[in-house]
Amino acid sequence: MKIALMMENSQAAKNAVVLKQLTEVATERDHQVFNVGMSDEQDHHLTYIHLGIMASLLLNAKAVDFVVSGCGTGQGALLSLNLHPGVVCGYCIDPADAYLFAQINNGNALALPYAKGFGWGAELNVRFIFEKAFTGERGAGYPPERKEPQVRNAGILNQVKTSMLKGGCIDTLRALDQELVKTAVSGERFQQCFFEHCQDKEIEAYVRSVLG
């Protein structure tokens, strides 16, 4: 599995801590991690709005399989990512959230609240979240006897979202201010991950056109 970590301006100072825990957990499971957001407060400036655009491009182009995002409360990132087609983002405060989201909703992104309770032992909570998010069979249901309706409802929800958006990744992004999109895709590490692993030529051509 290829996992993208993306952090915005308000929580960029915590990137090293989060990246370390995610990388250690991912390495143990033979996953790859790409640090595509801000690595510190002096890095290419991003907001949680940009994170949604980045997640949409990476996931819809199959450049990555999963996105770990977040902001101060986690709510802005959650809303931003879920605006986009092909992105199913869950809100995650503790390891139980990560486990239940993987088992019940089987989404492809998480939003964490990096400014809430991020004190002593915060790195342990983050690590345990990642362990539960990336361990075991996804979509197995919880409790097991509820698997069938849970899987069915998760699929219906995804169909509802697709029907309401009535457009793919590119159509959605073209409706935005293109300078907003350009800022989102201008980071060096984002571009490296995207262009090296993109599996959709149409989305790749769109990103190149935005970058000029």
Side-chain angles (χ1 to χ4, degrees):
M1 179 185 290
K2 294 190 289 292
I3 304 167
L5 172 64
M6 51 181 67
M7 297 179 71
E8 43 74 76
N9 65 95
S10 75
Q11 304 304 308
K14 297 168 184 169
N15 177 255
V17 173
V18 178
L19 177 62
K20 181 177 185 295
Q21 300 305 320
L22 178 57
T23 301
E24 289 179 359
V25 170
T27 300
E28 292 171 358
R29 292 154 179 78
D30 295 322
H31 301 324
Q32 293 178 274
V33 174
F34 302 89
N35 190 30
V36 302
M38 294 180 67
S39 61
D40 57 43
E41 292 170 312
Q42 283 71 52
D43 203 353
H44 175 69
H45 189 272
L46 299 168
T47 69
Y48 60 74
I49 300 168
H50 298 116
L51 301 190
I53 296 169
M54 294 161 64
S56 178
L57 289 166
L58 289 170
L59 290 169
N60 283 291
K62 295 181 171 57
V64 303
D65 306 295
F66 201 94
V67 167
V68 175
S69 72
C71 56
T73 65
Q75 302 287 7
L78 175 74
L79 293 168
S80 177
L81 267 69
N82 277 326
L83 285 173
H84 295 270
V87 183
V88 180
C89 184
Y91 186 64
C92 188
I93 299 176
D94 57 38
D97 289 334
Y99 177 78
L100 293 172
F101 178 68
Q103 297 306 314
I104 298 172
N105 307 101
N106 194 18
N108 53 15
L110 287 177
L112 277 65
Y114 293 116
K116 293 184 67 178
F118 205 92
W120 187 81
E123 77 283 358
L124 297 177
N125 186 54
V126 168
R127 183 184 186 90
F128 298 155
I129 284 173
F130 296 148
E131 287 178 351
K132 291 302 183 183
F134 303 115
T135 297
E137 179 187 359
R138 301 181 62 82
Y142 184 88
E145 61 268 21
R146 290 284 299 158
K147 177 178 181 177
E148 185 176 338
Q150 287 172 350
V151 170
R152 182 174 63 250
N153 290 334
I156 292 172
L157 182 61
N158 289 338
Q159 291 172 10
V160 169
K161 180 174 180 176
T162 300
S163 298
M164 293 183 70
L165 288 173
K166 295 182 179 178
C169 168
I170 297 176
D171 290 338
T172 304
L173 295 179
R174 279 180 174 152
L176 302 178
D177 179 344
Q178 295 304 280
E179 284 301 313
L180 192 66
V181 179
K182 185 174 183 179
T183 297
V185 301
S186 292
E188 180 179 350
R189 291 188 310 281
F190 171 86
Q191 290 183 28
Q192 183 176 2
C193 175
F194 178 82
F195 289 122
E196 287 185 6
H197 301 283
C198 176
Q199 298 180 41
D200 188 302
K201 295 299 182 183
E202 186 178 2
I203 296 178
E204 178 182 349
Y206 167 70
V207 173
R208 291 192 185 280
S209 71
V210 171
L211 291 169

